[in-house]
Amino acid sequence: MITVKKLVKRFGPLTVLRELDFEVNSGEFVALLGPNGAGKTTLLRILSSLMRPTSGFVQVASYRLPSQGAFLRAKLGVVSHQPLLYGDLTAAENLQFFSKLYSIGPDRIPEILDLVGLLPRRDDLVRTFSRGMQQRLAIGRAILHNPSILLLDEPHTGLDQAAGEILDRILKEVALEGRTVVMTSHDLLRSAELASRLVLLSKGKISSSVSTVDLDPVDLVDFYKTGLQGGQS
């Protein structure tokens, strides 16, 4: 579903991604981990066609980027740590607006609001919502058009424990639907619980990758430490 080869991204003299290779299979849930500045958000922005690479091969859902980005976007659902919603519209009106952008009818809106636990608040202004409620609505907006790929940039940022647990439930349900998910995160334990594979970025390259099947907490810590030191797994 996603193939990246020798990807390079520079900002002036600063090289953020250094000949990075990365692949994601259809239906896989991959968590991208790593310290600040490792290149996680930059990689996600390139995969979502919001940023052009300096060089390298990038293909998502059979579309070559950046040249075919306009065709790819209908296949993508993107969620950042900023909800990017319209505060003076209700929850239902936000989804109605985005449904028109995707040229789909409003029939799915009640289903989506129910999935993210906001159906009782459908007619409330989004600016009255808590941070967690806004992030849940952002997830709803991202899956409204039934995208095959979901890209999540630190979706748990700023959420309290209760809101984070609700978001975890939604992400598990989304993954069970067979969507391909790539999520950046700083939360090692949460990522291991949600994702089928963990990928560690260090200094602009993938230094380690591991399946979460039968991965215990000790192995998880070793995976992270070894990856930061530039080891391979």
Side-chain angles (χ1 to χ4, degrees):
M1 186 63 78
I2 297 174
T3 302
V4 175
K5 296 180 179 178
K6 295 188 179 300
L7 175 61
V8 175
K9 180 58 183 179
R10 298 189 184 95
F11 296 95
L14 177 64
T15 301
V16 177
L17 299 177
R18 304 170 182 271
E19 296 194 346
L20 181 146
D21 294 330
F22 179 58
E23 289 190 349
V24 180
N25 294 321
S26 178
E28 194 175 15
F29 191 143
V30 174
L32 291 173
L33 304 166
N36 289 333
K40 302 185 300 297
T41 294
T42 298
L43 175 57
L44 217 65
R45 288 179 63 81
I46 290 172
L47 294 178
S48 63
S49 78
L50 296 175
M51 181 181 289
R52 298 176 67 89
T54 301
S55 63
F57 177 88
V58 182
Q59 183 171 288
V60 181
S62 77
Y63 294 104
R64 180 73 183 270
L65 297 181
S67 60
Q68 296 181 308
F71 302 103
L72 169 66
R73 288 171 195 145
K75 304 282 187 180
L76 291 180
V78 180
V79 178
S80 70
H81 52 271
Q82 296 295 330
L84 303 177
L85 299 165
Y86 294 96
D88 289 328
L89 298 180
T90 67
E93 287 170 341
N94 266 272
L95 296 187
Q96 287 167 5
F97 173 78
F98 287 103
S99 68
K100 291 179 181 178
L101 290 181
Y102 286 109
S103 299
I104 59 176
D107 296 347
R108 262 176 62 81
I109 291 175
E111 174 190 345
I112 294 296
L113 288 172
D114 186 48
L115 173 65
V116 299
L118 293 174
L119 190 57
R121 301 291 300 272
R122 63 175 297 161
D123 297 321
D124 293 347
L125 297 179
V126 168
R127 59 180 167 82
T128 68
F129 286 4
S130 67
R131 163 73 178 170
M133 293 168 64
Q134 291 187 21
Q135 199 68 327
R136 281 188 275 151
L137 184 59
I139 293 281
R141 178 205 64 213
I143 63 176
L144 180 65
H145 57 299
N146 274 320
S148 54
I149 302 173
L150 195 59
L151 304 177
L152 309 165
D153 190 9
E154 299 186 26
H156 295 88
T157 299
L159 302 188
D160 60 27
Q161 182 176 347
E165 289 173 353
I166 293 172
L167 184 56
D168 288 348
R169 174 184 58 77
I170 295 168
L171 293 179
K172 288 176 182 177
E173 292 183 23
V174 166
L176 288 174
E177 294 174 351
R179 302 181 202 275
T180 302
V181 182
V182 180
M183 177 183 76
T184 70
S185 178
H186 286 289
D187 192 325
L188 192 59
L189 292 176
R190 172 169 266 143
S191 296
E193 181 182 350
L194 292 171
S196 56
R197 181 160 60 99
L198 305 180
V199 172
L200 183 62
L201 270 68
S202 179
K203 300 178 181 178
K205 299 189 74 171
I206 291 176
S207 61
S208 194
S209 176
V210 66
S211 169
T212 58
V213 177
D214 299 325
L215 187 67
D216 64 38
V218 175
D219 292 336
L220 191 59
V221 173
D222 287 343
F223 155 78
Y224 194 81
K225 288 182 177 179
T226 301
L228 288 182
Q229 294 167 359
Q232 298 290 329
S233 67

